[in-house]
């Protein structure tokens, strides 16, 4: 991959911290900063995956009831289960716990 030069101005304390941390890791300051940016850019993806996992945990019983444990449709939805078409599947800010539906 082609490299592009990027000039950044930071205070001396930040510069020294970057030098120290890079040295501790055994990499150049350039490599250290590059790794930090890549890590930060990856946070969005991790946040999405974590949110999706949390959603699945909260609504696991609804999905299992609707589609069965193997993903095949299990049958009609009970009247107490929210209908996604009716807007019942969206979180309105109130946290729902597994089994509280």
């Amino acid at each position: 991959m082609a490299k592009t030069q990027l000039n950044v101005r930071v205070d001396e304390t930040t510069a020294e911290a970057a030098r120290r941390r890079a040295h501790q890791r055994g990499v150049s300051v350039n490599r250290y900063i590059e790794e930090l940016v890549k890590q930060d850019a990856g946070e969005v993806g991790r946040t999405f995956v974590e949110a999706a996992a949390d959603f699945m945990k909260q609504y696991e019983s609804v999905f299992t009831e609707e589609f069965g444990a193997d993903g095949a449709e299990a049958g009609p939805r009970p009247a107490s289960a929210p209908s996604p078409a009716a807007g019942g599947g969206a979180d309105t800010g109130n946290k729902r716990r597994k089994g509280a539906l």
Side-chain angles (χ1 to χ4, degrees), residues 40-51:
D40 183 57
E43 288 295 322
V44 173
R46 275 193 290 280
T47 300
F48 172 78
V49 170
E50 289 170 3

Side-chain angles (χ1 to χ4, degrees), residues 53-78:
D54 184 52
F55 174 85
M56 290 304 294
K57 283 179 194 172
Q58 290 182 36
Y59 292 94
E60 179 180 18
S61 62
V62 175
F63 283 101
T64 300
E65 197 171 299
E66 178 73 18
F67 300 106
D70 62 356
E73 189 166 336
R77 181 194 327 264

